[in-house]
Amino acid sequence: KRIMTRPSLLLLVLAYVGFISLGLPDAVAGVAWPSVRQAFGGLPQAGLGALVACAGAGYVVSSLMAARVIHALGVGGLLAASTALVTLAQSGFAASALWPLFVACAFVAGLGSGSIDTGLNGYATRHFSLRHMNWLHACYSLGASGGPLIMIAVLTQGYSWRVGYVV
């Protein structure tokens, strides 16, 4: 059931920023992969597939559990915990010295991203107009385009891919 209330400007801005942030890390792995692959001793190309599969598995698990977590923590609690997971995962990517740890961080990133996506979409569906839903998803696209651009900028300036994950 849609509850059509007029959202506050602050709430809309936070939702838009949330969707930009959700998109930022999603396409970075492909840009960083050649450097990551080399840093972990010349991994086979299939390593990227393992990374994407683990992130996808985390995303699915958290999406399926989001309703229970929202019931327990509320939408705000879910978003705070999920943001912490994504931050932890990005920090883990930057600090990982071992490939299995890097892959585990992909799973954690998927857990956080899936919950953020499910929580924000569910909330927005009930409280925002279709126009705002469209703008939210446009904001996701900005983030998904911006993340690789940030990584490219970091790499072309001669910094490590690890710095790109920190940024």
Side-chain angles (χ1 to χ4, degrees):
K1 186 175 180 181
R2 274 179 81 86
I3 304 167
M4 290 306 298
T5 60
R6 184 175 167 100
S8 71
L9 180 60
L10 177 61
L11 184 59
L12 279 173
V13 169
L14 285 173
Y16 290 155
V17 169
F19 267 80
I20 291 169
S21 298
L22 180 63
L24 278 170
D26 280 3
V28 170
V31 174
W33 178 246
S35 301
V36 170
R37 183 178 179 200
Q38 184 180 18
F40 287 107
L43 292 169
Q45 196 64 18
L48 181 58
L51 197 64
V52 171
C54 283
Y59 196 95
V60 168
V61 166
S62 68
S63 295
L64 293 172
M65 295 178 58
R68 288 184 179 159
V69 177
I70 289 171
H71 184 70
L73 303 177
V75 174
L78 170 84
L79 294 176
S82 300
T83 300
L85 284 175
V86 171
T87 302
L88 177 68
Q90 298 304 308
S91 300
F93 285 142
S96 292
L98 302 171
W99 175 244
L101 181 59
F102 193 88
V103 173
C105 288
F107 183 79
V108 173
L111 284 174
S113 293
S115 293
I116 292 169
D117 193 14
T118 303
L120 278 176
N121 270 305
Y123 183 86
T125 298
R126 291 185 309 279
H127 295 85
F128 296 170
S129 69
L130 293 176
R131 178 176 155 239
H132 290 301
M133 287 295 290
N134 287 334
W135 279 108
L136 286 170
H137 291 94
C139 286
Y140 170 85
S141 297
L142 286 174
S145 300
L149 292 174
I150 291 168
M151 183 61 81
I152 288 168
V154 167
L155 294 173
T156 57
Q157 292 298 311
Y159 295 104
S160 166
W161 56 270
R162 294 178 187 278
V163 173
Y165 278 107
V166 169
V167 172

